[in-house]
């Protein structure tokens, strides 16, 4: 019994080693003293049943107290080591990489779509969606395409039999929305569109589109210009120059194309903008009265504007991506570049 | 459409700056894609007169020319290899130091021992043609030393206009010039034809800016172009007539509402004069012969396709405009035999088709060197008919392109007159009888009413009536105020088939004013009635959760090679690999993983939210699906851990599948899939399977980790608020139990019995270990649970918990044969 008490006193001395121990030494001490089989203190505790009751109580009490002290000291030291390795152990290289977990992220085009929808949300537009498989009526005729318009050539659209086709733009959702909701209508319509263009550096048979539509009493060409110019300045930069020029779409009249100052050369002219200094961003115009009439909306009372743009191309222009196929390859090295956010990084 | 700056200048009678012209067109008319300078690189070339031609002393085939290039030092000696140089004539001369087309600088050098001071140039050396046999002889009285580009009008600009489908008038130089006249000031006038003689009148082109004459009000024809009256026969009879011995019958007035034929006899087919060849070359058209070039010139000038064919080849001689007969054959100009159908209009002689109306003529009737008598057709062909014919035959031409868009029905006589004058001027011959004009149902300009008030309302700025009048008049509309000025009656010229209603006129006013002139400040608006689409909100949430879980969002296309039955087929796919609409997202994502493997990316976690399709009862069905694929290390390796990080396995898959189901399809339960394949399914309350997860087959390199994937149908349900559950205030009592579970008993079943038998005080139950090996009887495994007991309102006693646990263990043994593992 005396031996045991002496051993306990000796062991208690070793408590002082713990606050200085590094990680490895701490593990060794733990095994040496508290180890399940050969730990010094474990052995003493294992010997207790063979002692007479008085000795058992005395030795047992001291041994358990010492065990608690060791456990507390080791736990405290472990916490210290985890919290500030450098403080305890000089020579730890703090330039070594930290411990990571996998990170994912949204596709660049999704981020651009979100940004665009967000800006239009600030301008009072909500999102609307519709089917990818459309009828010729919704895709063309209700949008005032004449029956023999070149766009109806089978070579430009994917047909599925009968008058069904994969929508060539998200514009049919304009019609579906106007049929379902009374004015005022202010919607943006994100989604895929399909055209029979084989993949190359600047074409893909499937692409993202955002269509927009505003219809109410008294909407004018000025409202149209103001809304889209405001969008451009919020999406690009506040001082981005914007211009509108005539164009032609069956479902708008007047029709316009909106260009913004080339984001690569700043307007001085480069290969990307074909030396024009401008980048074509969207096709647009005042809603053609025939479209309103096709949806049962009184075209004398109501007017509106509509536009369509390609987030793939806008993303390519803004982030200087040379080949549209990169957007569809889904190479994780590409996706990781924009995973932390397409905007907000250092220049 | 390529237009030539010089050609526009000739029509406008003023000089144009190419860049400014392009900008004006872009901002007010139609976008200009490019401005291409032509022969601007000849600035160093001058006109030189050859004074004397001698034999080169050392070479038989070379000559020495003494040349006056107008320089102060007097004539110089030039070595020349061509045989056509004659004393007394003028040639283009490149002095030493001149930069030639292509950028090379001309050096002084000796040729066969004689020093040559510069060179005389061939057309090819100047980039003006393929002729390099002889030096280009200049027909000019300009003094030696004059700049070549000032003497020969080759320096030009091509302005490439992207003409929209609704503006056929811009497919001719005259239409473009008309717009420029409105924007820059001035009037458009067809330029006189060189060599047409002083008797050639200007024709009715002077007043383009003003009102057009009504179709029936005809002026005197030009000296050589005799005009007819209109043969508008009573209905029911075939419109027909005879011109200079040629019988013309219009049997298909639907296909050809207006049809004109002239006969010109005694032409001499030859090369075009320089001015005509240069005009066509300046817009990239290859000159062919004087007759064909003349018709092409008129085509590009006034946008009227014309067809000249050989009278001698016409059986009859007759010209019959009719629908083609089934399987009628014609060999077109390009030497290909085409089979016609009654959907097409054909121009025939007494026996067979000689022209596919509006598309292309036959090789047989083509104007050739031997042609002396011409039949000249000037027609309006029905746009839809031409489009269908073009599509059916897969054959398009400059003519079909224009007829499809609609030409100026009312301007045809002017075009015909211009063409006859031009042909006679460049090829000789005479028109002995007035041309025949078959127009069974004449039409006039349409009239549209424009309310200035409506224009102001739609454009958002006040618009003066006088300004509207001025703008519309400037591009050829005739405007007359009505009802005291509250409306304008606007007559639409024949070249603007696109203008059919009031709003079209408002667009004209807006674009001519310039869109940039309108203000763009935000004005108040009313919020809309359409709620934000719930599916977009759900998709955004799912994307966010999966991205947080370490997945990158992929974008694949919904077209693929087909992945099973019920796939919707595309009737006209681009390729067999993209012939079917996807039924699932997984196959597309697997291809993306393979692409990543090909680029040596080993750790790949991708997800996609996208549309999938399936054949349906009446029409195909479509819905949104969410899928993910995962392969590679479970987490990024860290140096402190040394050894390789383990690869993801089915348990990583299960976790992510459950995560996806929880957020994308919350009504579903994840269950082990039945049947031996392994994996899990997501099952809706009704028992319908809405998702699947499991290992995937792929074309994997040897170093790749196993690939797993999951997919579940996106549910669009109104989100409901998550209710708060009070946080526990009482301490837990915890117990670990290792259980011997016989084969065929699932962990889920054991958990269910434990939970039920222990009752509500068992707060949490979690598996923390599974063990096979010594101490575990055959046909069993040991699974360990961590049980947390808690009473919400009082502190549990250890005894109580031990009793509850004992009861639960007894139930396990009774119901499932599961016993506690001892030791
Ligand atoms: Zn640029």
């Amino acid at each position: 019994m005396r031996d045991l008490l002496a051993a306990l006193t000796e062991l208690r001395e070793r408590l002082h080693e713990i606050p200085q121990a590094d990680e490895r030494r701490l593990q060794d001490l733990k095994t040496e003293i508290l180890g399940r089989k050969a730990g010094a203190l474990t052995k003493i505790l294992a010997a207790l049943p063979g002692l007479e009751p008085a000795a058992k109580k005395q030795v047992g009490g001291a041994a358990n107290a010492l065990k608690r002290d060791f456990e507390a000291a080791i736990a405290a030291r472990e916490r210290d080591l985890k919290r500030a390795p450098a403080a305890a152990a000089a020579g730890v290289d703090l330039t070594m990489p930290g411990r990571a977990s996998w990170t994912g992220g949204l596709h660049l085009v999704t981020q651009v779509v979100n940004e665009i929808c967000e800006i239009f949300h600030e301008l009072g537009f909500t999102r609307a969606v519709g089917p990818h498989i459309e009828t010729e009526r919704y895709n063309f005729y209700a949008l005032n395409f004449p029956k023999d318009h070149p766009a109806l050539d089978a070579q430009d659209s994917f047909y599925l039999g009968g008058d069904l086709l994969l929508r060539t733009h998200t514009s049919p959702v304009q019609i579906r929305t106007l049929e379902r909701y009374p004015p005022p209508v202010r919607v943006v319509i994100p989604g895929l569109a399909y055209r029979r263009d084989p993949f190359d550096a600047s074409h893909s048979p499937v692409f993202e589109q955002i269509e927009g539509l505003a219809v109410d009493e008294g909407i004018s060409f000025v409202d149209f210009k103001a809304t889209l110019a405001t969008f451009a300045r919020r999406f690009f930069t506040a001082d981005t120059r914007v211009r509108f020029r005539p164009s032609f779409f069956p479902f708008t009249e007047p029709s316009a194309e909106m260009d913004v100052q080339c984001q690569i050369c700043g307007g001085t002219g480069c290969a990307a903008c074909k030396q024009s200094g401008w980048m074509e961003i969207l096709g647009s115009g005042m809603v053609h009265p025939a479209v309103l009439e096709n949806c049962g909306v009184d075209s004398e009372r109501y007017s509106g504007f509509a536009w369509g743009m390609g987030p793939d191309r806008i993303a390519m222009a803004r982030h200087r991506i040379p080949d549209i196929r990169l957007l569809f390859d889904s190479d994780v090295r590409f996706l990781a570049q924009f995973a932390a956010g397409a905007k907000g990084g250092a220049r | 459409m390529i237009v030539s700056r010089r050609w526009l200048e000739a029509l406008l009678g003023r000089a144009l700056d190419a860049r400014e012209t392009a900008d004006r067109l872009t901002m007010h008319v139609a976008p200009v894609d490019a401005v291409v300078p032509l022969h601007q690189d000849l600035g160093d070339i001058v006109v030189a007169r050859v004074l004397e031609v001698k034999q080169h002393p050392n070479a038989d085939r070379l000559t020495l020319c003494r040349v006056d290039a107008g320089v102060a030092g007097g004539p110089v000696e030039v070595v020349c290899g061509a045989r056509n140089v004659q004393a007394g004539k003028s040639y283009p001369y490149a002095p030493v130091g001149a930069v030639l087309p292509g950028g090379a600088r001309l050096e002084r050098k000796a040729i066969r021992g004689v020093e040559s001071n510069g060179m005389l140039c061939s057309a090819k050396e100047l980039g003006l043609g393929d002729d390099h046999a002889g030096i280009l002889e200049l027909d000019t009285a300009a003094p030696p030393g004059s700049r070549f580009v000032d003497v020969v009008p080759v320096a030009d600009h091509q302005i490439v206009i992207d003409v929209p489908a609704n503006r056929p008038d811009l497919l001719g130089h005259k239409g473009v010039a008309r717009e420029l006249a409105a924007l820059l000031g001035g009037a458009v006038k067809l330029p006189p034809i060189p060599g047409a003689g002083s008797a050639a009148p200007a024709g009715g082109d002077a007043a383009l800016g003003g009102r057009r004459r009504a179709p029936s009000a005809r002026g005197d024809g030009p000296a050589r172009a005799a005009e007819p009256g209109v043969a508008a026969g009573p209905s029911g009879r075939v419109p027909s007539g005879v011109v200079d011995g040629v019988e013309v019958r219009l049997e298909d007035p639907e296909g050809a509402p207006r049809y004109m034929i002239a006969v010109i006899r005694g032409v001499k087919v030859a090369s075009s004069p320089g001015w005509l060849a240069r005009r066509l070359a300046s817009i990239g058209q290859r000159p062919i012969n004087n007759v064909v070039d003349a018709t092409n010139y008129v085509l590009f000038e006034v946008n009227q396709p014309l067809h000249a064919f050989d009278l001698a080849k016409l059986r009859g001689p007759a010209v019959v405009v009719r629908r083609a007969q089934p399987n009628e054959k014609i060999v077109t100009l390009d030497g290909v035999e085409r089979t016609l159908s009654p959907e097409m209009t054909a121009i025939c002689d007494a026996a067979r088709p000689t022209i596919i109306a509006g598309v292309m003529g036959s090789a047989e009737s083509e104007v050739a060197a031997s042609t002396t008598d011409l039949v000249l057709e000037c027609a309006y062909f029905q746009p839809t008919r031409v489009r269908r014919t073009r599509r059916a035959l897969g054959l398009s031409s400059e003519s079909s392109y224009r007829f499809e868009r609609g030409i100026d029905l009312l301007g045809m006589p002017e075009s015909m007159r211009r063409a006859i004058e031009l042909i006679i001027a460049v090829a000789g011959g005479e028109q002995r009888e007035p041309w025949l004009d078959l127009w069974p149902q004449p039409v006039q300009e349409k009239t549209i009413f424009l309310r200035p008030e409506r224009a102001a309302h739609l454009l958002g700025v006040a618009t003066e009536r006088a300004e509207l009048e001025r703008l519309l008049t400037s591009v050829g509309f005739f405007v007359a105020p009505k009802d005291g000025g509250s409306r304008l009656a606007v007559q639409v010229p024949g070249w603007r088939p696109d203008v059919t209603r009031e709003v079209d006129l408002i667009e004209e006013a807006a674009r001519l004013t310039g869109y940039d002139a309108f203000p763009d400040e935000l004005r108040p608006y009313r919020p809309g009635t359409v709620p934000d689409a719930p599916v977009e909100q759900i998709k955004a949430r799912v994307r966010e959760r999966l991205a947080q879980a370490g997945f990158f969002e992929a974008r694949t296309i919904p077209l693929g090679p087909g992945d099973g039955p019920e796939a919707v087929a595309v009737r006209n796919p681009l390729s067999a690999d993209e012939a079917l609409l996807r039924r699932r997202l997984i196959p597309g994502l697997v291809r993306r993983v393979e692409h990543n493997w090909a680029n040596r990316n080993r750790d790949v976690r991708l997800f996609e939210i996208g549309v999938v399709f399936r054949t349906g009862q009446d029409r195909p069905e479509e819905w949104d699906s969410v899928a993910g694929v995962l392969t590679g290390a479970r987490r990024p390796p860290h140096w402190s851990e040394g050894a390789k990080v383990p690869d993801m396995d089915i348990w990583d898959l299960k976790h992510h599948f459950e995560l996806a189901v929880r957020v994308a399809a919350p009504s579903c339960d994840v269950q082990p899939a039945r049947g031996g394949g392994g994996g899990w399914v997501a099952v809706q309350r009704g028992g319908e399977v809405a998702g699947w997860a499991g290992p995937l087959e792929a074309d994997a390199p040897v170093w790749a980790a196993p690939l797993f994937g999951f997919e579940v149908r996106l549910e669009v349900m109104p989100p409901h608020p998550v209710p708060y559950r009070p946080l526990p205030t009482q301490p837990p009592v915890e117990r670990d139990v290792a259980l011997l579970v016989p084969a065929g008993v699932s962990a889920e079943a054991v958990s269910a019995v434990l939970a039920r038998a222990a009752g509500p005080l068992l707060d949490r139950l979690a598996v923390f270990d599974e063990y096979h090996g010594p101490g575990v009887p055959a046909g069993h495994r040991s699974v360990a649970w961590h049980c947390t007991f808690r009473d919400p309102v009082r502190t549990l006693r250890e005894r109580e918990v031990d009793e509850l646990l004992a009861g639960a263990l007894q139930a396990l043994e009774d119901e499932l044969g599961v016993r506690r593992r001892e030791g």
Side-chain angles (χ1 to χ4, degrees):
Chain A
M1 175 191 137
R2 189 148 305 168
D3 294 352
L4 290 174
L5 287 174
L8 284 173
T9 311
E10 212 169 292
L11 274 176
R12 182 165 285 280
E13 285 301 302
R14 306 198 60 185
L15 264 176
H16 305 301
E17 292 176 32
I18 289 172
Q20 276 81 45
D22 66 7
E23 218 163 315
R24 183 161 301 167
R25 178 74 191 131
L26 193 64
Q27 275 309 316
D28 291 348
L29 282 170
K30 238 165 125 177
T31 314
E32 201 179 308
I33 295 161
L34 298 175
R36 277 182 87 138
K37 289 196 175 114
L41 195 51
T42 314
K43 279 186 185 154
I44 294 172
L45 287 164
L48 289 180
L51 295 181
E52 57 199 54
K56 198 176 183 175
K57 196 174 172 193
Q58 192 185 352
V59 176
N64 277 318
L66 186 60
K67 189 183 178 191
R68 277 195 297 277
D69 290 347
F70 264 109
E71 282 170 349
I74 289 169
R77 182 61 188 153
E78 278 176 344
R79 268 197 305 278
D80 282 352
L81 283 172
K82 275 187 194 137
R83 200 180 301 140
V92 170
D93 178 0
L94 293 180
T95 67
M96 293 289 274
R99 190 176 284 111
S101 55
W102 287 136
T103 51
L106 302 190
H107 195 281
L108 174 62
V109 172
T110 301
Q111 297 186 52
V112 168
V113 169
N114 289 348
E115 264 182 71
I116 293 170
C117 290
E118 195 53 50
I119 292 169
F120 280 108
H121 194 77
E122 292 165 8
L123 296 168
F125 290 81
T126 51
R127 291 171 295 183
V129 291
H132 293 233
I133 296 177
E134 271 296 1
T135 59
E136 285 184 328
R137 181 178 115 67
Y138 280 104
N139 196 74
F140 295 123
Y141 305 139
L143 288 160
N144 198 37
F145 281 78
K147 285 266 180 202
D148 57 350
H149 191 275
L152 275 72
D153 275 7
Q155 64 192 38
D156 297 328
S157 315
F158 290 112
Y159 275 87
L160 304 175
D163 71 335
L164 295 180
L165 72 160
L166 291 170
R167 64 183 180 194
T168 60
H169 41 196
T170 56
S171 320
V173 185
Q174 280 190 28
I175 305 297
R176 293 181 178 277
T177 304
L178 285 177
E179 283 177 348
R180 190 165 163 206
Y181 296 94
V185 160
R186 288 174 84 84
V187 289
V188 284
I189 304 152
L192 292 181
Y194 305 74
R195 302 228 176 124
R196 262 185 105 250
D197 286 326
F199 263 116
D200 65 25
S202 51
H203 296 90
S204 75
V206 181
F207 53 95
E208 188 73 25
Q209 209 197 14
I210 296 181
E211 182 91 1
L213 173 72
V215 173
D216 197 3
E217 289 173 12
I219 290 189
S220 74
F221 194 76
V222 172
D223 298 313
F224 151 67
K225 268 192 72 178
T227 306
L228 293 181
T230 301
F231 156 74
R233 290 191 281 257
R234 290 191 191 174
F235 184 82
F236 295 103
T237 55
D239 57 354
T240 292
R241 280 179 295 127
V242 177
R243 74 174 188 185
F244 291 80
R245 54 184 172 77
S247 188
F248 169 65
F249 307 103
F251 39 103
T252 50
E253 189 84 13
S255 297
E257 207 87 50
M258 186 178 87
D259 298 339
V260 301
Q261 175 189 348
C262 175
Q263 298 296 301
I264 291 173
C265 64
T268 54
C270 65
C273 61
K274 288 196 268 174
Q275 306 306 327
S276 72
W278 295 97
M279 266 171 29
E280 201 175 302
I281 291 299
L282 52 87
S284 56
M286 301 298 289
V287 179
H288 198 290
V291 173
L292 297 175
E293 289 152 17
N294 289 340
C295 302
V297 175
D298 180 353
S299 65
E300 275 292 306
R301 181 173 167 197
Y302 294 104
S303 53
F305 58 88
W307 74 92
M309 56 185 156
D312 306 79
R313 289 180 182 255
I314 292 176
M316 288 170 71
R318 194 177 69 176
H319 299 276
R320 307 183 190 191
I321 294 164
D323 191 322
I324 198 168
R325 288 169 290 202
L326 284 163
L327 302 178
F328 294 91
D329 278 347
S330 301
D331 187 315
V332 291
R333 297 165 303 175
F334 175 85
L335 300 174
Q337 288 180 21
F338 306 99
K343 263 176 109 176
R347 286 242 159 201
Chain B
M1 170 73 187
I2 297 173
V3 295
S4 141
R5 171 180 55 83
R6 272 184 189 275
W7 198 333
L8 294 174
E9 285 173 346
L11 284 156
L12 283 162
R14 56 167 288 174
L16 293 172
D17 175 76
R19 196 67 255 176
E20 191 200 349
T21 303
D23 286 345
R24 293 287 183 132
L25 291 173
T26 297
M27 295 309 288
H28 296 275
V29 185
V32 169
D33 284 343
V35 175
V36 183
L38 287 185
H39 311 305
Q40 305 286 337
D41 45 9
L42 299 177
D44 290 349
I45 310 300
V46 296
V47 174
R49 183 167 298 132
V50 172
L51 306 174
E52 187 188 0
V53 181
K54 291 187 304 188
Q55 185 64 43
H56 189 291
N58 307 326
D60 287 350
R61 299 196 306 174
L62 299 179
T63 57
L64 293 182
C65 302
R66 209 151 61 78
V67 165
D68 175 7
V71 289
V76 293
E77 198 160 70
V78 174
V79 177
C80 181
R83 314 294 299 172
N84 68 326
V85 178
Q86 295 173 33
K89 295 202 166 167
S90 293
Y91 301 92
Y93 164 71
V96 169
V99 175
L100 298 171
R105 181 175 294 275
L106 191 64
E107 307 288 343
R108 185 189 305 273
K109 62 179 174 186
I111 300 171
R112 290 291 190 103
V114 178
E115 189 152 284
S116 183
N117 298 287
M119 71 185 241
L120 298 174
C121 307
S122 70
K124 184 167 188 179
E125 281 156 344
L126 298 180
L128 295 174
D130 292 333
D131 186 1
H132 57 95
I135 301 302
L136 182 64
E137 191 178 307
L138 301 179
D139 179 17
T140 177
S146 306
R147 272 160 46 97
F148 175 77
V149 290
D150 295 338
V151 173
V152 184
V154 291
D156 198 348
H157 289 88
Q158 288 185 341
I159 300 172
V160 185
I161 307 174
D162 180 7
V163 175
N166 67 330
R167 289 295 304 272
D169 60 310
L170 301 177
L171 296 172
H173 281 76
K174 185 176 164 186
V176 177
R178 183 187 297 123
E179 296 286 335
L180 290 170
L183 297 168
L184 303 166
V188 179
K189 197 168 173 172
L190 294 187
I193 294 165
S198 57
D205 299 307
L208 285 164
R211 183 182 182 181
R212 290 176 54 74
R213 291 165 301 158
S216 56
R218 291 166 190 287
D220 291 330
R224 294 178 192 165
E227 289 188 46
V230 175
S235 58
R237 261 183 42 208
V238 172
S240 61
V242 177
V243 52
D244 200 357
V246 177
E247 191 199 352
V248 184
R249 293 170 57 81
L250 178 55
E251 294 180 2
D252 181 15
E254 192 196 325
R258 189 174 192 181
Y259 194 77
M260 308 196 305
I261 286 286
V263 174
I264 303 172
R265 293 186 186 265
V267 300
K268 194 169 175 298
V269 177
S271 298
S272 288
W275 73 268
L276 178 55
R278 272 198 300 274
R279 270 277 181 272
L280 292 174
S282 72
I283 57 167
Q285 294 291 321
R286 191 168 53 92
I288 294 167
N289 61 46
N290 48 8
V291 172
V292 174
D293 292 351
T295 58
N296 276 339
Y297 178 92
V298 176
L299 168 81
F300 290 110
E301 184 176 64
V302 296
N303 190 37
Q304 170 66 56
L306 295 142
H307 199 94
F309 45 116
D310 191 339
L311 176 58
K313 315 262 175 67
L314 276 190
R315 281 151 287 246
V319 175
V320 182
V321 183
R322 60 167 168 82
R323 283 173 179 270
Q325 287 156 11
N327 295 317
E328 226 170 348
K329 304 272 197 272
I330 181 172
V331 177
T332 42
L333 265 179
D334 51 5
V336 179
E337 187 185 76
R338 317 266 173 182
T339 304
L340 307 183
S341 76
E343 313 291 291
M344 305 170 184
T345 303
I347 315 302
C348 312
D349 62 13
R352 64 180 73 127
T354 56
I355 306 175
I356 305 168
V359 181
M360 198 174 275
S362 70
E364 183 196 26
S365 66
E366 184 183 5
V367 171
S370 62
T371 303
T372 58
D373 298 340
L374 296 177
V375 175
L376 181 63
E377 170 202 272
C378 176
Y380 180 97
F381 293 115
Q382 215 277 316
T384 312
R385 184 76 61 84
V386 175
R387 177 164 309 129
R388 293 198 180 134
T389 304
R390 186 259 300 161
R391 254 190 250 168
L393 296 174
L395 179 65
S396 58
S397 63
E398 292 282 356
S399 296
S400 67
Y401 188 79
R402 286 166 168 78
F403 283 124
E404 280 186 38
R405 281 156 180 77
I407 54 152
D408 181 0
L409 186 64
L410 307 176
M412 287 169 60
E414 185 185 293
S415 307
M416 183 60 137
R417 190 186 322 128
R418 182 79 170 163
I420 293 168
E421 275 180 55
L422 184 53
I423 289 171
I424 292 173
V426 299
E430 61 170 337
Q431 181 198 13
R432 301 195 303 205
E433 286 185 19
W435 75 71
L436 193 63
D437 185 348
L438 302 179
W439 195 14
Q441 288 178 309
V443 293
Q444 295 205 347
E445 286 96 340
K446 49 185 181 280
T447 297
I448 298 170
F449 291 96
L450 170 62
R451 295 161 295 172
E453 187 196 327
R454 179 71 185 167
H457 187 75
L458 204 63
L459 295 178
V461 292
T463 324
E464 293 293 317
R465 193 191 82 196
E467 177 66 0
L468 287 174
E469 274 191 64
R470 188 190 68 77
L471 292 169
L472 292 171
T473 305
S474 73
V475 286
F477 293 87
F478 179 74
V479 184
K482 287 275 156 91
D483 308 331
S486 67
R487 294 197 302 166
L488 302 173
V490 180
Q491 214 175 74
V492 181
W495 63 79
R496 291 301 301 274
D498 60 308
V499 176
T500 58
R501 51 192 291 180
E502 187 183 38
V503 70
D504 299 323
L505 296 170
I506 296 174
E507 177 178 65
E508 288 299 295
R511 73 170 179 89
L512 290 166
T513 302
Y515 290 173
D516 273 356
F518 289 82
D520 66 357
E521 89 273 354
L522 279 174
R523 295 175 180 177
Y525 61 84
R526 297 200 292 175
T529 57
V530 186
D532 196 40
V535 66
E536 289 303 302
Q537 300 181 352
I538 291 165
K539 282 180 180 173
R541 209 166 55 226
V542 175
R543 283 194 184 103
E544 209 173 288
R545 290 294 293 117
L546 290 171
Q548 279 169 9
F551 286 72
F552 289 111
E553 186 183 14
R555 285 174 83 81
T556 67
I557 67 165
L559 300 160
D563 56 350
E566 300 183 326
V568 180
V570 174
R571 290 296 168 94
N572 54 341
L574 284 166
S575 72
D577 282 343
E578 293 170 3
L580 292 142
L581 299 184
R582 65 185 175 197
R583 293 159 66 248
R584 301 177 297 148
L585 299 176
I586 285 266
L589 288 176
V590 170
R591 287 195 285 275
R592 295 299 98 213
V593 171
E594 288 165 350
H595 176 84
N596 274 287
W597 280 335
N599 287 291
R600 309 205 63 86
N601 303 325
R602 187 174 182 277
D603 302 317
V604 183
R605 301 162 313 281
L606 299 173
F607 78 94
E608 183 170 13
I609 302 180
V611 66
V612 294
F613 305 84
R614 196 155 299 192
T615 51
Q617 290 277 312
D618 306 320
R619 54 179 284 175
E621 294 167 14
E622 57 178 85
W623 62 86
D624 289 311
S625 189
V626 180
V629 286
L630 47 147
T631 180
R634 186 169 294 154
R635 58 178 182 274
H638 190 251
W639 51 270
S640 67
E641 290 150 346
K644 216 182 95 183
V645 173
D647 284 333
M648 288 189 284
D649 60 20
I650 58 165
W651 304 111
D652 298 280
L653 169 68
K654 187 183 185 194
H655 165 72
H656 288 113
F657 183 47
E658 286 174 333
L659 172 77
V661 169
R662 204 154 54 234
V663 59
S667 84
C668 288
D669 276 337
V670 171
Q671 300 172 1
R674 282 163 215 264
W680 293 270
V681 287
V683 183
Q684 291 172 344
R685 296 228 166 82
E688 200 182 323
V689 173
W692 175 88
L696 295 172
E697 294 292 325
D699 195 359
V702 285
W703 46 261
L707 175 66
F708 306 95
F710 61 84
E711 178 154 1
V712 64
R713 182 174 177 152
L714 185 73
E715 286 176 1
V716 183
M717 295 201 295
H720 61 86
V722 177
Y724 164 73
R725 278 172 292 126
L727 301 178
T729 53
Q730 300 298 324
V733 175
E734 315 200 51
R735 291 287 184 273
D736 288 347
V737 287
L739 300 174
L740 291 171
V741 181
V745 175
S746 72
E748 193 181 49
V750 173
S751 295
V753 172
L754 265 175
R756 195 202 67 230
L761 294 180
L762 177 58
D763 191 37
R764 273 189 73 237
L765 196 51
V767 171
F768 71 89
D769 191 23
E770 188 193 44
Y771 172 71
H772 303 263
V776 178
H780 287 69
R781 60 191 169 129
S782 165
V783 181
W785 271 264
H786 186 73
C787 313
T788 308
F789 291 85
R790 195 196 312 263
D791 187 301
V793 293
R794 65 187 173 91
T795 304
L796 283 177
R797 279 168 297 154
E798 302 273 338
R799 275 263 298 281
E800 241 177 311
V801 169
D802 289 338
E803 280 163 19
L804 279 175
L805 192 57
L809 289 171
Q810 189 59 50
L812 273 178
E813 183 152 12
D814 295 347
E815 294 178 32
L816 299 173
V818 169
R819 283 174 297 108
R820 190 167 192 164
R821 183 176 154 216
E822 306 298 338

